[in-house]
Amino acid sequence: MAIEDIGLVGINVRMWRHLAVLYPTPGSSWRKFAFVLPVTAMNLMQFVYLLRMWGDLPAFILNMFFFSAIFNALMRTWLVIIKRGQFEEFLDQLSTLFHSILDSTDEWGRGILRRAEQEARNLAILNLSASFLDIVGALVSPLFREERAHPFGVALPGVSMTSSPIYEVIYLAQLPTPLLLSMMYMPFVSLFAGLAIFGKAMLQLLVHRLAQIGGAEQPEEERLQRLASCVAYHTQLCVAAQHTGGQHCGCGSHYFWLHNLLTALLPEYYNLTHPGDLDSDVHPDHAVRALHLLQPRQ
């Protein structure tokens, strides 16, 4: 069984293989650059637009949110490309652990594994669908505005982005973004969500195995064998958890910092654009707290 056939990560790995982010071949290696470079160019155009919006705080905060989301997707994808060998090695270890349980005689364990597979697969489909529809909504929203605007706020130095035919060309160039951004952002998210589901199933299996140890009719030698098996299994889980954390923490801290910054700023954006609409529980010091996140830590 190939790694794509494992429901825990199959959808995500299959997309990465098709795009040559993982398991590239000489004939498909160009795909990862065709996939990432256009989004990188758009993200740079978003950064130029942010510089233009520096004096308009509500527009700056809102477009900073879109810029950071796409930048985060790019950062994660480049992380997988750069550390491709480590990711592929980790997936091989995951496949080995998965098959060791699937091929065992433990019917209860196989049932837990199948349910975890189905849950992870459903979650991956849900994430992709929600992301795709969300970006489609952002893409069509400019069509209902009185003034011309681009879905994600892009700009080029010295170029009027709302004049014809530049506006039409740039807008049409953004039409593939629902597919591109969904395939860029969600596989990473769904992969580690699937691994969390797998980890939960493995702990349930460990508890089940430990519960089988003991009883007046069980020989001491059998107890020791079962206990040794549980210790070996626990060691496998620890190694797998360590590898998972190592792959994820490379960008997790940056994302956590940026997410907290934007979460604190978004209520202030709403206050600026809809004064008096929010409850008194939302205070102006949210912006101060957000800026506090920018302070260097000792």
Side-chain angles (χ1 to χ4, degrees):
M1 183 185 291
I3 186 67
E4 294 97 321
D5 297 324
I6 298 177
L8 293 164
V9 297
I11 293 177
N12 313 300
V13 174
R14 191 175 293 113
M15 282 191 291
W16 275 341
R17 184 190 286 272
H18 179 73
L19 296 167
V21 174
L22 291 180
Y23 308 106
T25 63
S28 66
S29 187
W30 62 271
R31 295 178 186 172
K32 60 188 172 189
F33 300 108
F35 174 54
V36 173
L37 292 181
V39 181
T40 303
M42 189 181 80
N43 201 226
L44 290 174
M45 293 170 67
Q46 286 182 289
F47 181 73
V48 175
Y49 185 79
L50 281 176
L51 295 179
R52 289 187 179 182
M53 293 294 105
W54 181 256
D56 187 352
L57 186 58
F60 179 83
I61 294 174
L62 182 62
N63 285 280
M64 181 64 180
F65 183 82
F66 292 126
F67 167 81
S68 63
I70 295 176
F71 178 77
N72 182 41
L74 278 170
M75 181 173 61
R76 290 177 169 187
T77 304
W78 279 116
L79 175 70
V80 178
I81 292 173
I82 293 170
K83 296 189 174 184
R84 176 178 62 84
Q86 296 180 28
F87 269 89
E88 292 178 1
E89 180 184 355
F90 169 71
L91 290 173
D92 288 342
Q93 294 175 353
L94 174 67
S95 179
T96 300
L97 180 58
F98 178 88
H99 286 105
S100 68
I101 300 168
L102 189 64
D103 298 335
S104 69
T105 59
D106 188 351
E107 188 66 31
W108 191 90
R110 291 202 299 270
I112 285 288
L113 204 58
R114 289 305 187 193
R115 287 193 292 273
E117 271 193 298
Q118 188 62 42
E119 184 180 354
R121 185 176 183 276
N122 291 341
L123 182 61
I125 294 173
L126 177 64
N127 282 341
L128 282 170
S129 301
S131 175
F132 182 83
L133 294 175
D134 185 39
I135 300 171
V136 167
L139 192 64
V140 301
S141 63
L143 302 178
F144 300 95
R145 299 178 188 174
E146 295 181 0
E147 298 181 356
R148 284 184 169 183
H150 288 284
F152 302 105
V154 292
L156 288 171
V159 178
S160 175
M161 303 298 289
T162 56
S163 61
S164 297
I166 295 175
Y167 175 80
E168 288 79 3
V169 171
I170 297 298
Y171 184 84
L172 290 174
Q174 295 178 76
L175 289 181
T177 52
L179 185 62
L180 286 176
L181 296 179
S182 297
M183 294 178 68
M184 177 173 289
Y185 189 90
M186 282 305 162
F188 197 98
V189 174
S190 298
L191 174 70
F192 283 95
L195 293 177
I197 293 172
F198 180 60
K200 176 186 174 183
M202 295 303 95
L203 290 176
Q204 288 176 325
L205 183 56
L206 179 60
V207 171
H208 174 72
R209 291 183 176 182
L210 287 171
Q212 304 305 309
I213 301 175
E217 298 180 357
Q218 193 173 78
E220 183 176 352
E221 184 177 350
E222 183 179 348
R223 293 183 190 179
L224 290 175
Q225 289 177 351
R226 287 177 179 268
L227 182 60
S229 175
C230 289
V231 170
Y233 176 73
H234 181 264
T235 302
Q236 279 185 297
L237 295 184
C238 290
V239 171
Q242 184 178 10
H243 279 260
T244 303
Q247 302 300 336
H248 189 261
C249 70
C251 64
S253 59
H254 302 291
Y255 177 70
F256 178 79
W257 172 84
L258 197 55
H259 177 269
N260 278 278
L261 172 64
L262 292 170
T263 300
L265 282 174
L266 281 175
E268 189 63 20
Y269 161 76
Y270 193 88
N271 263 335
L272 291 168
T273 56
H274 300 77
D277 285 359
L278 288 181
D279 294 335
S280 59
D281 291 336
V282 182
H283 300 290
D285 66 342
H286 282 168
V288 176
R289 296 176 188 175
L291 294 175
H292 180 68
L293 292 171
L294 296 172
Q295 298 295 325
R297 297 292 186 260
Q298 299 296 329

